[in-house]
Amino acid sequence: MRHILGNTPLGKENLLKLFAEAEQLRRYYYKSIGGRYYLSQFLQGKTIALLFFEPSTRTHDSFFLAARTLGADILSHQDMKQTSAAKGESLEDTIRTITAYPQVSAIVMRHPEKGATLRAANTIERLLTAGRVKRSIPVINAGDGSGWHPTQAYLDIYTLWRHGKLQEDGRMRGAIFGDLGNARVIHSLVLELSVFRPKLYLVGPAYDNIPHCVYSPAAVNGAKLVKVSRLQARMLENVDFCYFVRLQEERLTVKSEEEKKQMRTVYKREYGCSSLIRRWAPADTVFLHPGPIREEMPDSAKWDPRFVYEEQIENGVWLRAALLNMLLNPDSSKVP
Ligand code: NCD
């Protein structure tokens, strides 16, 4: 686990270890002031670089809070127009610069280009081989274009696990709605969940599907993936979760404002958390959404008791704290 890039699943054992550790960290935080002080020593003396070349609220903030809670310092770039990237500096040279600061222990990176975090990780490996950096610096993919977003999937699965919905023996069922081709959160969710061999309905437009690099390994791992363009009531019988995501507008190939507006209307109707879905889905189903929320979650869906949005947000902090601790304190990664 040198880097967290998302192109291979973390695996059952590591996920469950991560969840157990996230639980421990949460417990210490809520226990007492002493518990919080104890946590603040885990990453003391380390700096986490947050390089966000694309907008973010939840992912940036939860990494920030996770790192701060464990006592790390932060180097944060949220507006890359304010960095030398705007002057034409290559991603490789930015990484080379950041890793030259001796304080930096890990890089969390979001980028509009698919494969950008892999490039960053390769740069670090090359610097290591050339002896230009002396310590290993993990890169964590916080979303690369339409590629992967592994830590979002970890926190989503952690949320399912906390609700007792993570069934390991192939009995798990889920329905995932929306922008299958462009939504990296869906790609990572399908791949990371696949090791539990779930049956997943992928509900999206007929012309759209998850890419082969997601489908193929997920199927090999034993996930049963059923692509449908239209949902039927029987598909939601016994479903453990429903997952919604906004239309990834910024990744649509140029469309006029009018076309985008039209797409939003269709998207809301076909792939949103409609009243029909809310009627068909069992009472103990969990509704998940990574945010940001748009038209696909109408107000009544946002207040549905099955929608666990706030839990996802909080779980993101503990999960990401556990991940940072696991990567940066591998020998003592168990919280005593
Ligand atoms: C997602 C992302 O950035 O891919 N958001 C997030 O990280 N919470 C989903 C999205 O932008 O729609």
Side-chain angles (χ1 to χ4, degrees):
M1 262 213 296
R2 187 118 126 180
H3 304 287
I4 301 291
L5 302 176
N7 49 358
T8 50
L10 196 61
K12 259 188 231 179
E13 208 181 303
N14 281 330
L15 275 177
L16 296 175
K17 205 171 132 199
L18 211 50
F19 299 166
E21 191 154 319
E23 286 299 297
Q24 291 270 45
L25 296 174
R26 180 197 306 261
R27 262 198 292 278
Y28 272 108
Y29 182 82
Y30 281 118
K31 200 169 149 192
S32 60
I33 296 284
R36 288 181 199 187
Y37 175 72
Y38 176 65
L39 290 179
S40 74
Q41 296 177 313
F42 280 67
L43 298 183
Q44 218 171 48
K46 298 186 193 289
T47 296
I48 312 297
L50 304 179
L51 305 185
F52 280 65
F53 292 77
E54 214 189 41
S56 171
T57 302
R58 283 146 288 265
T59 307
H60 176 276
D61 294 359
S62 56
F63 268 114
F64 183 98
L65 291 171
R68 293 293 294 133
T69 302
L70 298 188
D73 292 318
I74 308 278
L75 188 162
S76 169
H77 283 296
Q78 257 199 301
D79 182 0
M80 297 312 286
K81 287 193 210 81
Q82 301 295 328
T83 72
S84 290
K87 297 184 190 168
E89 182 175 72
S90 70
L91 176 63
E92 282 74 9
D93 286 344
T94 302
I95 296 297
R96 194 165 171 174
T97 306
I98 298 290
T99 53
Y101 299 128
Q103 293 85 349
V104 170
S105 301
I107 294 177
V108 179
M109 195 176 107
R110 168 169 290 195
H111 200 283
E113 273 168 44
K114 194 171 160 175
T117 37
L118 176 63
R119 275 170 58 201
N122 286 341
T123 304
I124 292 176
E125 293 305 315
R126 192 167 170 198
L127 288 163
L128 271 170
T129 310
R132 286 181 174 261
V133 291
K134 303 274 184 283
R135 67 215 189 277
S136 152
I137 300 171
V139 174
I140 302 175
N141 184 355
D144 64 323
S146 60
W148 307 104
H149 192 351
T151 63
Q152 179 67 42
Y154 306 161
L155 81 87
D156 290 334
I157 301 172
Y158 177 39
T159 306
L160 292 173
W161 177 78
R162 294 196 99 228
H163 278 266
K165 296 292 185 188
L166 189 64
Q167 310 190 55
E168 291 186 47
D169 54 2
R171 276 184 303 139
M172 188 181 191
R173 282 162 169 267
I176 299 176
F177 296 83
D179 200 342
L180 304 176
N182 288 319
R184 57 196 177 200
V185 289
I186 295 184
H187 304 164
S188 282
L189 184 64
V190 170
L191 185 69
E192 302 294 339
L193 262 185
S194 67
V195 296
F196 298 97
R197 298 188 296 115
K199 178 170 183 177
L200 300 175
Y201 288 103
L202 304 174
V203 192
Y207 57 83
D208 192 21
N209 210 342
I210 56 168
H212 192 68
C213 62
V214 182
Y215 186 90
S216 165
V220 168
N221 287 341
K224 193 151 184 273
L225 303 175
V226 186
K227 167 73 201 296
V228 290
S229 311
R230 219 165 243 288
L231 191 77
Q232 291 160 23
R234 64 169 175 83
M235 296 174 192
L236 290 186
E237 274 169 24
N238 309 321
V239 91
D240 293 298
F241 72 92
C242 293
Y243 197 93
F244 303 93
V245 64
R246 83 190 156 91
L247 175 68
Q248 308 285 294
E249 269 183 50
E250 68 276 36
R251 289 193 260 284
L252 295 176
T253 37
V254 252
K255 294 251 189 293
S256 67
E257 274 317 306
E258 195 45 44
E259 277 175 300
K260 280 189 185 170
K261 205 170 139 205
Q262 234 173 344
M263 279 188 86
R264 277 202 292 269
T265 313
V266 175
Y267 193 88
K268 174 184 173 182
R269 193 184 62 223
E270 303 290 329
Y271 312 112
C273 189
S274 64
S275 52
L276 215 52
I277 290 175
R278 297 202 299 282
R279 185 148 20 103
W280 286 341
D284 65 344
T285 295
V286 180
F287 291 162
L288 301 168
H289 193 303
I293 292 169
R294 293 284 303 259
E295 298 81 355
E296 69 288 341
M297 291 304 275
D299 210 51
S300 42
K302 280 193 207 172
W303 298 102
D304 189 301
R306 291 167 289 188
F307 185 33
V308 295
Y309 183 67
E310 290 80 2
E311 291 178 37
Q312 284 177 276
I313 306 287
E314 176 171 357
N315 292 345
V317 176
W318 305 125
L319 191 288
R320 286 170 172 138
L323 183 68
L324 289 172
N325 191 44
M326 211 179 250
L327 289 168
L328 298 178
N329 288 322
D331 302 328
S332 61
S333 80
K334 234 183 331 62
V335 186

